[in-house]
């Protein structure tokens, strides 16, 4: 990618190589993974994270899982099913994970009666296609979404929905990047995103690298800046969007949407159609990942709360469609979001 000095994930000499996001911004180191089990663990530990990137990693992990699984068709099938099962147990909210598993399953079934090497290469090719398509879809979202960003705009974003959260370029940050590349003089407020600090660790790092002006704020400062007229629009990503347009995203997104509505600030969600789950009628049906309480009470290796205190850590919340001005997808814009508007996008250009 032009100008980009890092990559999120790729194949290299039969290994899956990914930037270790747990070490950012302090260290830029890549993990080189040889097995599906290692990839699943990297997704669970969040060495790689972000809905589309999780989908890409899962697909590559599944392809990796069949290397060295022998030639016997029954053994190959049983290994494939095992790998898909444990990959599907890594993180529950991002539907891109399950979407990627489904795509890999379709490919597996289409070549299941062919020699083992052909099966392995078909799976690997499909995982590469998922990566390439993701980057292309981010660029389409960026180009579509940049129309909402005027010259001089102040954009608020939450978590990291950037190149690091996708195959490259980003969803919400794809919109930011496209506006910047069009020559608009923009400025981004990045929420630090408690408790996992994706905004502070990743978004600030990514935007700084691209030379896009960014101001890091703590999550509880967003209302202040909105009240002062310093925020023109909010753009965030999503982990799963229900058929009615309700969108699950990183915990803290829902209160931002309430604040934006109170202040009359447009609130955009940028996500590929692979993030839309038409099987779920509303956001209330979206499974919300519960992560460990230690991620709340320990920050950067330091305990900030008394030993033994109860702490909760729902990793995502659901923003109702009514609070969303428009959903920017790779197949067009649903604005305002509704079941009909999303359905139409699937009919016109969906995958
Ligand atoms: O827990 P994470 O870091 O995987 O959560 C990521 C987010 O919430 C992103 O906003 C979302 O996945 C969209 S990524 C383009």
């Amino acid at each position: 990618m032009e100008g980009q000095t890092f990559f999120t994930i790729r194949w290299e000499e039969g290994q899956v190589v990914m930037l270790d996001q747990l070490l950012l911004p302090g260290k830029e180191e890549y993990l080189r993974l040889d097995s599906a089990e290692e990839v699943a663990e990297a997704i669970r530990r969040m060495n790689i994270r972000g809905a589309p990137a999780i989908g890409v990693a899962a697909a590559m992990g599944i392809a990796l899982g069949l290397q060295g699984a022998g030639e016997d068709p029954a053994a190959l099938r049983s290994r494939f099913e095992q790998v898909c099962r444990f990959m599907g147990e890594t993180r529950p909210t991002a539907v891109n994970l399950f979407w990627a598993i489904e795509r890999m399953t379709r490919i597996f079934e289409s070549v299941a009666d062919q020699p083992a090497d052909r099966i392995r290469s078909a799976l690997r090719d499909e995982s590469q296609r998922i990566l390439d398509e993701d980057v292309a879809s981010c660029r389409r979202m960026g180009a579509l979404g940049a129309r909402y960003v005027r010259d001089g705009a102040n954009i608020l974003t939450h978590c990291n929905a950037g190149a690091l959260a996708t195959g490259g370029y980003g969803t919400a940050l794809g919109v930011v990047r496209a506006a910047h590349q069009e020559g608009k003089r923009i400025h981004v407020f990045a929420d630090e995103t408690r408790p996992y600090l994706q905004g502070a660790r990743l978004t600030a790092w990514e935007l700084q690298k691209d030379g896009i002006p960014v101001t890091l704020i703590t999550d509880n400062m967003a209302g202040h800046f909105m009240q002062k007229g310093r925020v023109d629009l909010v753009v965030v990503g999503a982990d799963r969007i229900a058929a009615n347009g309700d969108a699950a995203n990183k915990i803290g997104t829902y209160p931002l949407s309430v604040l934006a509505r109170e202040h009359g600030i447009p609130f955009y969600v940028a996500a590929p159609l692979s993030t839309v789950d038409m099987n779920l009628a509303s956001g209330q049906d979206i499974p919300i990942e519960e992560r460990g309480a230690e991620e709340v009470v320990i920050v950067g290796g330091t305990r900030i709360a008394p030993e033994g205190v109860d702490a909760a850590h729902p990793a995502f919340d659901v923003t109702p469609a009514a609070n969303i001005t428009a959903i920017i997808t790779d197949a067009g814009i649903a604005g305002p979001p509704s079941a009909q508007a999303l359905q139409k996008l699937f009919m016109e250009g969906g995958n």
Side-chain angles (χ1 to χ4, degrees):
M1 216 152 302
E2 80 265 6
Q4 199 170 294
T5 55
F6 65 92
F7 63 88
T8 308
I9 183 165
R10 73 180 179 209
W11 283 106
E12 260 179 35
E13 293 158 8
Q15 292 180 307
V16 173
V17 181
M18 58 177 72
L19 184 55
D20 187 349
Q21 299 190 26
L22 287 178
L23 300 181
L24 291 174
K27 280 192 199 147
E28 228 173 287
E29 278 179 20
Y30 289 84
L31 291 170
R32 308 187 69 89
L33 308 180
D34 294 300
S35 73
E37 282 78 1
E38 285 176 316
V39 174
E41 198 42 38
I43 296 172
R44 193 175 295 111
R45 275 197 319 255
M46 293 174 64
N47 301 97
I48 190 162
R49 28 64 53 200
I54 291 171
V56 173
M60 290 184 169
I62 290 168
L64 207 49
L66 261 68
Q67 321 244 324
E71 307 295 314
D72 174 50
L76 276 175
R77 174 172 290 280
S78 128
R79 173 67 176 154
F80 179 80
E81 287 168 358
Q82 178 199 35
V83 169
C84 288
R85 199 165 42 249
F86 69 67
M87 213 53 89
E89 287 164 0
T90 51
R91 297 195 68 192
T93 303
V95 77
N96 308 62
L97 172 67
F98 307 98
W99 170 89
I101 293 172
E102 261 174 52
R103 264 186 73 156
M104 296 301 278
T105 303
R106 275 202 298 274
I107 288 294
F108 179 82
E109 294 303 345
S110 72
V111 291
D113 56 353
Q114 298 188 26
D117 277 352
R118 169 79 189 102
I119 297 175
R120 282 190 262 273
S121 69
L123 290 173
R124 194 187 141 133
D125 290 351
E126 182 69 354
S127 70
Q128 182 64 45
R129 248 189 315 274
I130 290 174
L131 169 63
D132 296 341
E133 287 173 15
D134 185 56
V135 178
S137 90
C138 285
R139 287 186 174 276
R140 278 202 299 281
M141 279 181 270
L144 280 173
R147 73 180 67 173
Y148 297 119
V149 183
R150 64 161 177 81
D151 186 29
N154 285 290
I155 307 164
L156 190 141
T157 192
H158 190 66
C159 194
N160 172 268
L164 291 167
T166 59
Y169 203 72
T171 56
L173 293 192
V175 172
V176 167
R177 274 200 172 90
H180 179 72
Q181 282 162 358
E182 286 174 6
K184 293 173 181 163
R185 288 157 298 177
I186 54 164
H187 163 260
V188 177
F189 284 109
D191 275 0
E192 74 172 348
T193 318
R194 274 282 284 152
Y196 220 68
L197 306 179
Q198 290 93 330
R201 294 188 298 107
L202 309 177
T203 296
W205 180 83
E206 199 181 312
L207 291 179
Q208 212 179 43
K209 265 197 172 266
D210 266 13
I212 299 176
V214 56
T215 302
L216 179 64
I217 60 174
T218 59
D219 300 354
N220 53 2
M221 295 175 189
H224 167 78
F225 284 108
M226 287 186 185
Q227 199 179 42
K228 294 279 179 202
R230 301 273 304 277
V231 177
D232 297 300
L233 68 151
V234 178
V235 57
V236 295
D239 282 74
R240 194 183 300 221
I241 298 172
N244 69 347
D246 293 350
N249 191 49
K250 181 51 52 192
I251 192 77
T253 303
Y254 163 60
L256 269 187
S257 78
V258 177
L259 279 171
R261 197 183 52 191
E262 168 72 15
H263 294 283
I265 296 167
F267 186 97
Y268 300 103
V269 171
L273 279 191
S274 54
T275 300
V276 180
D277 185 351
M278 293 303 270
N279 296 318
L280 297 186
S282 93
Q284 293 318 305
D285 304 325
I286 298 175
I288 301 294
E289 176 180 9
E290 289 285 338
R291 292 190 65 89
E294 69 285 355
E295 290 174 358
V296 174
V297 299
I298 298 173
V299 178
T302 303
R303 172 170 288 278
I304 57 157
E307 206 65 70
V309 73
D310 277 341
H313 186 184
F316 300 94
D317 58 23
V318 175
T319 297
N323 288 4
I324 301 171
T325 310
I327 299 177
I328 302 157
T329 80
D330 45 347
I333 293 170
S338 66
Q340 294 90 317
L342 287 171
Q343 187 65 50
K344 190 160 172 274
L345 295 181
F346 271 99
M347 312 241 292
E348 284 167 1
N351 35 10

